[in-house]
């Protein structure tokens, strides 16, 4: 180990142009003046251009917990990996989150814009801060420069593998750990690129018990890796940046994906080296799916439903998706929702300790059910507004139809929406086309028409009789009475029980007659209530479609 004076000398050699002290920085970031229960949480994504459901899940949790506690929710951008960054990456994140009504009180507000007194909120703009802390660590012997080239590191790894040792830069393998001031000076003078590494004091044989807000008590091995803190371009690694940022921003809990759990001992060691109080962690389980009989993490490559864009394009109702995610987070959400159908989700007491500890199953069929339920609770007007908004961005044809035929469309969306049993056939806004296609001639023409399995002559007779007796002003019972009479005339049974007993006695049942009319009017064997459809289509259109059908079959 080097002497204190030597470490100070090395820190000056490395960071000669850094004059600020750690104390000066700490002074700029005072503790927030908040009550203890007010949580300051942050969402800290990298601007990689791909936003997935795991991001929405984590951000939603942070947003709700901070809002419920009257706290603060921050957007911090972790852009220290310049290779993964894309143009407009920050705006995409903000927009994606806003779509789910997740807004930030503090932090990045646009590509360059930010708000709040604890910034900068983009890591690439916090270089000086990281350098000051790195200098301090080097001076205290907690960090050192390492000049190993990629080839040298590979060579170390190869030797380790050959001799059956753990791979990595640690202990006796850490070549630059205890090197002399002279050696360091020499490399610096010749301009050899270097990184700054942690001087780990840990021992892999020791165990650390950590208390996780979600997982509970977890036992892990101590860290002994001399992890990289500053990369050769001077930018910090995630390991080094997050303890500094979360401490300076006075964050209450670090809620993050559980892929980081194994690194917690390393992070704990960095917190200690920096002389910071440890911020509690909550590690959120990843979203999983059942695949080939097993459970696996949702993947960007294999699962289109992992991407947030999938939900936007298909027009999943935001509220439905959020409710489903909350259901994954706390399984009692579903019961709560049943008891409180009208309450906003902020009223739900979301609890970290009730989170799924292993893997949370993301089941798109369940999501569909929740969305169906949710949409069934909306009024026809609300459905109209939502589809209009979605169409504006994602489907011009539907948008135009809705814009130009507002009342007509609201009536269509109102079919079987009022009364005891509400129809649940809309999962997402893109399902609108199916709702509309029988009501607009241009769409109807494109529709692949279904056929009825019945003698064609009989079908024609039934429909002709219907046209003869049809009166638009009939109420449902009158309308149905006429269908029953036609059914009887052609030997169809109008009593379901009787028909079940003696099916051979009849040509069929009254439903078969209604089916001919349904297919003649809508082109489909399945449709919502036929009477309501006819009332919306109007008399002339119905006569026209039935006549056209009689000629066609
Ligand atoms: N940028 C890190 C990630 O996306 C953030 C993890 C954290 O929230 O601390 O995984």
């Amino acid at each position: 180990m080097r002497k204190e004076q030597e470490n100070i000398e090395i820190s000056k050699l490395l960071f000669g142009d850094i004059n600020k002290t750690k104390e000066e920085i700490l002074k700029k970031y005072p503790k927030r003046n908040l009550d203890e229960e007010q949580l300051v949480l942050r969402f800290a994504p990298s601007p990689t251009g791909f936003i997935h459901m795991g991001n929405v899940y984590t951000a939603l949790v942070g947003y709700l917990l901070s809002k419920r506690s009257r706290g603060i929710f921050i957007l911090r951008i972790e852009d220290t990996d310049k290779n993964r960054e894309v143009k407009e990456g920050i705006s995409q994140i903000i927009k994606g989150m806003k779509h789910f009504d997740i807004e930030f009180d503090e932090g990045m507000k646009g590509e360059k814009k930010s708000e709040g007194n604890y910034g900068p909120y983009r890591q690439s703009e916090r270089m000086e801060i990281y350098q000051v802390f790195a200098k301090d660590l080097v001076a205290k012997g907690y960090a050192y420069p390492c000049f190993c080239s990629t080839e040298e590191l590979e060579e170390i790894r190869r030797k380790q593998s050959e001799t059956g040792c753990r791979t990595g830069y640690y202990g006796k393998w850490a070549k630059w750990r205890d090197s002399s001031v002279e050696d360091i000076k020499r490399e610096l003078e010749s301009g050899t690129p270097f990184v700054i590494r942690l001087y780990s004091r840990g021992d892999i044989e020791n165990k650390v018990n950590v208390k996780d807000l979600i997982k509970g008590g977890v036992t892990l091995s101590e860290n002994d890796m001399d992890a990289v803190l500053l990369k050769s371009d001077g930018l910090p690694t995630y390991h080094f940046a997050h303890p500094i940022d979360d401490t300076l921003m006075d964050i209450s809990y670090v809620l993050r994906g559980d892929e980081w759990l194994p690194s917690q001992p390393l992070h704990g060691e960095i917190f200690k080296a920096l002389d910071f109080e440890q911020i509690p962690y909550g590690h959120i389980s990843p979203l999983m799916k059942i695949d080939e009989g097993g459970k696996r993490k949702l993947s960007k490559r294999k699962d289109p439903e992992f991407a947030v864009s999938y939900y936007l394009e298909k027009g999943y109702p935001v509220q439905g998706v959020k409710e489903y995610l909350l259901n994954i987070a706390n399984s009692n959400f579903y019961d709560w929702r049943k008891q409180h159908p009208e309450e906003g989700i902020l009223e739900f007491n979301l609890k970290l300790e009730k989170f799924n500890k292993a893997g949370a199953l993301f089941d798109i069929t369940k999501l569909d059910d929740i969305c169906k339920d949710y949409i069934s609770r909306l009024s026809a007007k609300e459905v109209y507004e939502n589809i209009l908004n979605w169409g504006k961005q994602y489907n011009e044809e539907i948008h135009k139809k809705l814009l130009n035929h507002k009342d007509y469309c609201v009536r269509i969306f109102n079919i079987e929406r009022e009364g005891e049993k509400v129809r649940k056939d809309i999962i997402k806004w893109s399902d609108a086309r199916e709702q509309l296609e029988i009501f607009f001639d241009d769409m109807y023409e494109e529709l692949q028409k279904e056929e009825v399995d019945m003698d064609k002559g009989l079908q024609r007779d039934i429909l002709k009789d219907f046209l003869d007796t049809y009166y638009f002003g009939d109420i449902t019972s009158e309308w149905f009475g006429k269908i029953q009479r036609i059914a009887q005339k052609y030997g169809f049974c109008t009593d379901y029980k009787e028909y079940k007993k003696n099916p051979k006695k009849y040509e069929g049942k009254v439903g078969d007659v209604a089916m001919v009319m349904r297919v003649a009017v809508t082109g489909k064997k399945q449709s919502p209530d036929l009477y309501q459809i006819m009332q919306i289509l109007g008399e002339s259109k119905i006569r026209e479609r039935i006549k056209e059908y009689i000629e066609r079959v």
Side-chain angles (χ1 to χ4, degrees):
M1 250 214 222
R2 281 181 293 264
K3 296 194 193 76
E4 204 183 315
Q5 259 321 308
E6 290 174 323
N7 285 327
I8 293 174
E9 196 182 337
I10 297 171
S11 78
K12 285 187 183 149
L13 285 173
L14 292 168
F15 301 101
D17 49 347
I18 297 288
N19 298 314
K20 265 207 189 117
T21 64
K22 182 176 155 179
E23 287 66 34
E24 281 171 305
I25 301 255
L26 288 170
K27 231 164 117 191
K28 272 182 60 192
Y29 297 89
K31 282 252 156 224
R32 293 172 191 262
N33 193 9
L34 296 172
D35 296 339
E36 207 185 320
E37 75 272 9
Q38 290 180 280
L39 298 177
V40 182
L41 302 174
R42 87 301 190 272
F43 176 52
S46 301
T48 60
F50 179 73
I51 313 170
H52 54 71
M53 279 323 258
N55 295 138
V56 179
Y57 183 48
T58 308
L60 180 65
V61 170
Y63 171 78
L64 290 178
L65 291 176
S66 60
K67 279 283 149 295
R68 272 186 66 77
S69 68
R70 296 174 298 111
I72 296 169
F73 194 42
I74 301 175
L75 176 62
R76 181 172 78 220
I77 295 296
E78 309 217 321
D79 60 344
T80 57
D81 186 350
K82 290 288 161 197
N83 297 328
R84 293 177 64 213
E85 202 172 323
V86 298
K87 240 180 123 206
E88 302 292 311
I90 302 179
S91 316
Q92 279 176 24
I93 292 168
I94 295 174
K95 204 173 132 215
M97 293 301 140
K98 198 168 171 185
H99 180 79
F100 292 96
D101 309 320
I102 299 172
E103 301 208 48
F104 300 92
D105 306 298
E106 196 178 302
M108 294 312 288
K109 297 276 166 177
E111 251 2 91
K112 296 249 152 58
K113 261 197 338 215
S114 70
E115 250 173 62
N117 297 327
Y118 290 77
Y121 294 93
R122 244 180 113 142
Q123 287 182 332
S124 58
E125 290 173 11
R126 301 169 64 81
M127 290 282 279
E128 190 195 20
I129 300 174
Y130 305 124
Q131 304 257 335
V132 169
F133 283 100
K135 182 176 183 183
D136 186 64
L137 288 190
V138 173
K140 290 182 175 145
Y142 282 109
Y144 64 91
C146 162
F147 297 88
C148 278
S149 63
T150 325
E151 293 73 36
E152 278 177 287
L153 292 174
E154 265 166 28
E155 180 60 19
I156 295 174
R157 186 172 284 270
R158 197 181 54 75
K159 276 195 193 140
Q160 288 168 329
S161 303
E162 273 173 17
T163 50
C165 291
R166 263 185 315 129
T167 53
Y169 200 88
Y170 62 96
K172 67 171 183 174
W173 301 98
K175 183 174 162 195
W176 286 90
R177 203 170 142 93
D178 291 307
S179 47
S180 66
V181 181
E182 284 65 43
D183 286 349
I184 292 171
K185 224 187 224 168
R186 195 189 56 242
E187 295 297 334
L188 286 177
E189 273 161 15
S190 46
T192 314
F194 65 92
V195 298
I196 301 291
R197 289 184 181 271
L198 174 72
Y199 192 115
S200 175
R201 310 281 204 268
D203 179 346
I204 192 80
E205 299 302 328
N206 291 344
K207 297 283 172 220
V208 272
N209 295 316
V210 293
K211 201 173 153 4
D212 191 88
L213 296 166
I214 292 174
K215 311 253 177 207
V218 184
T219 305
L220 297 162
S221 295
E222 239 174 49
N223 170 67
D224 67 347
M225 293 284 162
D226 285 359
V228 175
L229 304 179
L230 290 185
K231 297 179 278 187
S232 55
D233 56 8
L235 284 166
T237 56
Y238 168 73
H239 307 308
F240 189 48
H242 98 265
I244 295 176
D245 294 345
D246 289 329
T247 300
L248 296 184
M249 292 178 188
D250 201 9
I251 300 296
S252 314
Y253 311 148
V254 174
L255 297 179
R256 62 181 182 185
D258 77 354
E259 68 272 22
W260 293 112
L261 183 63
S263 323
Q264 177 159 349
L266 164 64
H267 299 160
E269 192 176 357
I270 297 174
F271 264 95
K272 264 200 205 123
L274 288 164
D275 203 16
F276 289 161
E277 205 178 303
Q278 179 66 59
I279 299 174
Y281 287 105
H283 288 99
I284 301 179
S285 312
L287 299 176
M288 320 268 284
K289 79 183 268 182
I290 301 274
D291 190 24
E292 291 172 6
K295 229 170 149 192
R296 66 161 174 79
K297 275 192 199 183
L298 278 178
S299 116
K300 172 179 174 178
R301 206 166 40 81
K302 294 190 202 152
D303 309 308
E305 75 271 25
F306 195 34
V308 161
S309 53
Y310 176 89
Y311 301 85
L312 270 71
E313 281 155 24
K314 295 227 175 322
Y316 271 85
V318 167
Q319 196 63 20
V321 174
K322 288 200 304 195
E323 299 216 348
Y324 180 56
L325 290 175
L326 284 175
N327 210 50
I328 294 182
N330 278 188
S331 55
N332 60 323
F333 177 81
Y334 190 65
D335 288 337
W336 177 83
R337 172 49 84 214
K338 269 207 276 190
Q339 281 155 20
H340 306 88
E342 305 294 334
E343 304 258 32
I345 53 174
L346 269 168
E347 302 307 315
F348 176 68
N349 191 4
L350 185 69
K351 287 201 166 136
L352 286 175
E353 63 273 21
K354 281 198 182 159
F355 269 56
N356 195 310
K357 296 188 186 2
L361 208 56
F362 185 84
D363 177 356
I364 199 118
T365 321
K366 190 97 195 278
L367 168 67
D368 285 354
D369 283 346
I370 288 188
C371 290
K372 255 191 248 175
D373 272 352
Y374 167 73
I375 294 179
S376 75
R377 296 198 296 268
L378 301 181
S379 70
K381 250 194 149 147
E382 286 168 322
V383 172
Y384 171 88
E385 294 297 338
N386 275 291
I387 298 177
L388 185 74
N389 277 338
W390 168 81
K392 192 169 174 189
Q393 205 172 346
Y394 297 100
N395 191 315
E396 206 189 315
E397 182 195 25
I398 290 178
H399 183 244
K400 264 201 195 137
K401 286 268 182 294
L402 264 63
L403 207 58
N404 297 334
H405 308 273
K406 178 169 178 182
D407 293 341
Y408 189 54
C409 290
V410 171
R411 287 183 68 203
I412 296 168
F413 298 136
N414 204 39
I415 297 176
E416 290 186 58
R417 186 160 289 279
E418 286 167 342
E420 283 284 291
K421 213 167 163 339
V422 173
R423 191 175 165 87
K424 295 185 181 175
D425 55 353
I426 309 181
I427 294 172
K428 49 197 182 304
W429 309 129
S430 53
D431 294 342
R433 198 176 199 289
E434 221 170 292
Q435 304 276 318
L436 300 176
E437 63 192 354
I438 57 174
F439 293 97
F440 288 96
D441 285 343
D442 53 345
M443 289 175 158
Y444 183 71
E445 268 164 34
E446 283 174 28
L447 190 72
Q448 188 76 32
K449 313 281 187 308
E450 293 183 88
E451 282 180 13
V452 186
D453 183 20
M454 187 190 287
D455 176 76
K456 303 221 160 121
L458 181 55
Q459 289 193 50
R460 282 194 287 267
D461 290 342
I462 287 172
L463 291 169
K464 277 181 196 151
D465 279 13
F466 179 73
L467 286 181
D468 286 346
T469 56
Y470 180 52
Y471 171 57
F472 186 75
D474 282 345
I475 58 168
T476 332
S477 54
E478 291 167 335
W479 174 83
F480 192 59
K482 287 178 178 172
I483 295 177
Q484 282 181 314
R485 278 196 288 284
I486 297 172
Q488 280 158 352
K489 175 175 167 191
Y490 291 102
F492 289 83
C493 182
T494 51
D495 179 333
Y496 189 64
K497 274 195 193 141
E498 158 63 15
Y499 178 71
K500 277 211 104 172
K501 259 195 255 157
N502 303 302
K504 291 220 171 71
K505 256 174 73 185
Y506 301 95
E507 190 70 36
K509 52 196 182 314
V510 68
D512 300 333
V513 174
M515 178 61 85
V516 176
M517 284 160 47
R518 185 184 306 280
V519 172
V521 173
T522 68
K524 297 182 186 196
K525 282 187 180 165
Q526 274 193 353
S527 78
D529 184 81
L530 189 58
Y531 175 78
Q532 291 187 46
I533 291 180
M534 288 189 166
Q535 290 305 102
I536 294 172
L537 274 172
E539 179 160 358
S540 61
K541 181 113 315 191
I542 287 164
R543 290 192 179 277
E544 183 188 310
R545 288 219 180 146
I546 293 181
K547 276 185 201 148
E548 191 242 342
Y549 183 85
I550 291 174
E551 276 162 33
R552 183 154 40 97
V553 291

